[in-house]
Structures are given as structure tokens and as C-alpha cells.
Amino acid sequence: MTRTRIIVLAVLVFAPFVFLMGAGSYHLWITGWTFIVWWPMAACLAAAYGLGWYWTRRRRNILPNTGVDSPPEIWTDRDAEAWKLVEKKAGEVTRITADEMADPKRYSDIAIALSLEIAQVYNPGAADPFGHLTLPEILTCAELVAHDLTTKVNTYVPGSHLLTVNHWKQSRKVIDWGQKALNISWLARAVLNPVSTGMQYLASRASGAVFKEAQQNVMLWFHTAFIHQLGKHLIELNSGRLRVGAAKYREIMETAQADADEPGRMAAPSLTVAVIGQVKAGKSSLVNALLGEHKAATDIVPTTVGATRYDLKLPDQPPVTIVDTAGYGLAGPTEAEVAGAVEAAAGADLVLFVTQARNAARQSDADMMQKLTAAFASKPHLKLPNMLGVLTHVDLLSPMMEWKPPYDWQAGTRTKEVQMREAADSAREQLGERLKVIVPVCIATGKEWNVQDGLTELMAAAMDDAHGTALLKLFHTESRAGAARKTVDQVLSAGRVALRALWESAKR
């Protein structure tokens, strides 16, 4: 289908309607019915204007989302901070003209300004905030932005694949000519029937205002979509995730989305859960209770010198690996113990932070939590995994001799239930906001409670964030994979080109 054929078809389709509208208007005028039929038409136009006025002010509800409504789960705290700049930049423009939309320099100016603002988030105070980027990363960012915007234009702009820049410019002239012709027709009709024409003119002005507001909404949406798509990939660029290249980046993201159970949730091939806590806090016993069998050593003398790994299957989740870490003493974690916990957390997608219910003085736990948070703050390219607090030894809470589960520890009134609730509140207050959820469990042999039902359900629910953390690790692994081999291949390729050029020169 060529443009000429499309125009011919459009004329053939719409010409009869235009003729009938003209013939009908003339008939109404000569029979004197124009004023009579005007009232229902005016009511419809008034209703259309009211609804249009209301709907055009709810832009988020009448237009498709721009592709990034909220920070993806893969993003770190630093990425989320950079996204706030993107949203601010998008919100700075509340009105936009067609001339501004068609100005290429305006887009380049926005891109340069936003690139600089985001780069400074990742390299504050640097003389050259772009200095850490490689040329392939920058080209990958440009490729991804162009691809996403092209997809949106092809999807939401009818005829965009047929209309050239000259056509867009000519369309503006056609609209201006049409407006002039319409104004002339209003003058001519006003001479014949001034009252009816005046009322129709006022209605057309009202409906025209709604149309212009709708047009403004569409232009603002495209402007916002441009900034959002640009900002999203600039964040991916500065975070280092585009080192894998455009093809690999799309492959990872598309695979994650395709394998997800819900839209927006990212799937991962496997997940790792790190168990961190004091010596004798019950970490190994907790692992055994989760596994449903005795695998982890639980001697009085701590035997978990390093980290031990176990396989666990959670309902409706990918394979899970549990890492039982070495504990730390009551005096607080040593540098080596902190380093081990940080390493375990960095390699994990979810952390179970284990603490005893009867341990009122949790200074060593608070120290470990603070050091973990500080360690990840010093490495903003990493994301501290979601953390669940596990309150062990609740069977030893008062009254100690009573153990009659099940217990409704969140709302129950029995003494044991109240003690569990107060112990959980105390732990949450002492260990800070990182532990959004604290669950009490009993891990004593033969008295296990709230592990297989309560804790595992919370772990499964927390896996949404865990998927994002796992995907973030995958990007870092892929970006480092084969770096040396790729450099060798590039050197060999450049050498072959140079030798061929020398050979061709020698033959001359």
C-alpha cells in the first residue's frame, strides 16, 4: 500500500459522509428544523465537553504507561535516587507546543542535561562524571533508547511508517488552511441564520478546547515517555549493567519477564538464602527445620567455621540454596566475621537474620546489622537483600513449662502469645527498619512450630525482591564473564585488519 493509494481509499470512504452531512445541514436549514434539532445536539455536546474536560485532566488514566511507572525491583537504592531526578525532569514541563515537539535540538538538550545529572549521582564530585563509561556501553544505551522509542512510535502513532518529516510540516499548513476555511464558513452561515450559528460556534469552541487539551495530553505523554525511557537506560548505563551489550541485556530482561508468574516480577534461575546470626542463636537448627531433616551440625560447641550450603524447595519457587554462615560472639562481630557475613549477604538474594527471643541485650546483633548496612552503603552498585528476622527459642519464653501450640502470636491473649509479640516488637526496635518482618519460631527437636507453615510462607512472599537481587547479580557476573577473552579477540581482529592493509599496500 502506497501513500497515494491510502489517500484515495480515505477519500472514497469519507466523501459520502461529508456529502450527506452537507446535504442534511442544508435540508435542516431550508425546512427550519435547525433550531429544533439543535437542543439535543447541544445537550450531547455539553455532556461530551464535561466528560472530556474531566477525563483530559486525568492523564495517567487515559494514556498507556510510559514503560517505567516505578523503579524496577532490580534497582539499588542509588538507582532509585537517580530515578527521582528523571521524574523531576519529566514533571518540569506542564505545557508543550507542536513546534517544541518537532524541534530535534530540544531533545538533544534534554538528553545532555539529564545524562549529566544522572552521571553525577553515580560519580559525585568527579571532574568528568562520564569518565568511567566505555564507548560500547554508551552506544548500547543509545541503541536501547532508540529501540524503545521506535517501538512506541510505531505502536501509538498511526501512519508513522509512511509520513516523512516534510509531510508533518505540510500537515501543519493544511490544519491552518482548514481553520481559515472554517472561519469563513462561520461568517457565511452567520449571515443566513445568526442565532443558530452563534450557538453552534460557541459549542464548537468548547469542544475545540477539549480537543486541544486532549492533544496536549498526548504530546505531554510522548514527552514524558521520551524522558522516562532515556532516564531508565541512563540509569542502566551508569550502574554498569549495560556492559553486557544490548543483545545480552534484552535477552536477560526478556527471559526474566517471560519466566515470571506475574507482570513486572522478574524470575531468576535459582535463589540463595543466607542465614546470619550469633553463635548458639539456632541457625543450624533453623536450617534443619527448614529442610525437614537433620543435615546441619547443631553441637553446643559451634562447628560452622565457614559457610555450608544446602538445597531447599519452597512452594511455587525456583530452586533455593541455603547458606549457613559462621556465627559471631556476644562481644560483637570481629572484622573477619563481618567480612564473612557481608560476603554471604552479597551472594544471597534473601537473608534470614536469626536472634534469640530471650536475648534482651542484642547489641552484638545491632552491631552486625549496622556493619552490614554500612558495608553495602560503601558499595552502592550492590543491593542489600531483603531481610527477614527470625526469633528463635520462643518455647523458652514465660511460662517456660508451657508448650501447647498452635499460638496466635500476633493477636492472641494467652501469656505465651503476648510474650512472643513483645519479644518480636523488642527485636524490631533494637535491630532497626531493615527487618520489616520478624517471625517467632520454635526449632527444638520434636517441638518445631511456625517454620514449615509460617516462615516458609513469608520466605516465598519475600522472593519477589529476591528475584530482583538475583537478576542484579546475574548482570554483574555476565559483565565480567569473558572480558579477557574478548580483549584477545579484539586485538587479533585489529591485527588481521592491519596486516591485510599492509599486504595490500605492499602489492601496490
Side-chain angles (χ1 to χ4, degrees), residues 113-131:
L114 188 59
S115 299
L116 183 61
E117 290 181 24
I118 291 178
Q120 288 173 339
V121 172
Y122 291 82
N123 295 275
D128 182 6
F130 303 110

Side-chain angles (χ1 to χ4, degrees), residues 76-110:
T76 64
D77 293 341
R78 184 173 58 175
D79 298 334
E81 179 185 351
W83 178 248
K84 292 179 182 178
L85 295 178
V86 177
E87 289 186 314
K88 179 182 178 183
K89 177 69 71 175
E92 287 176 352
V93 177
T94 57
R95 307 292 295 181
I96 189 170
T97 65
D99 290 334
E100 289 175 328
M101 282 288 294
D103 183 8
K105 186 176 183 301
R106 185 172 181 277
Y107 294 98
S108 63
D109 290 344
I110 291 174

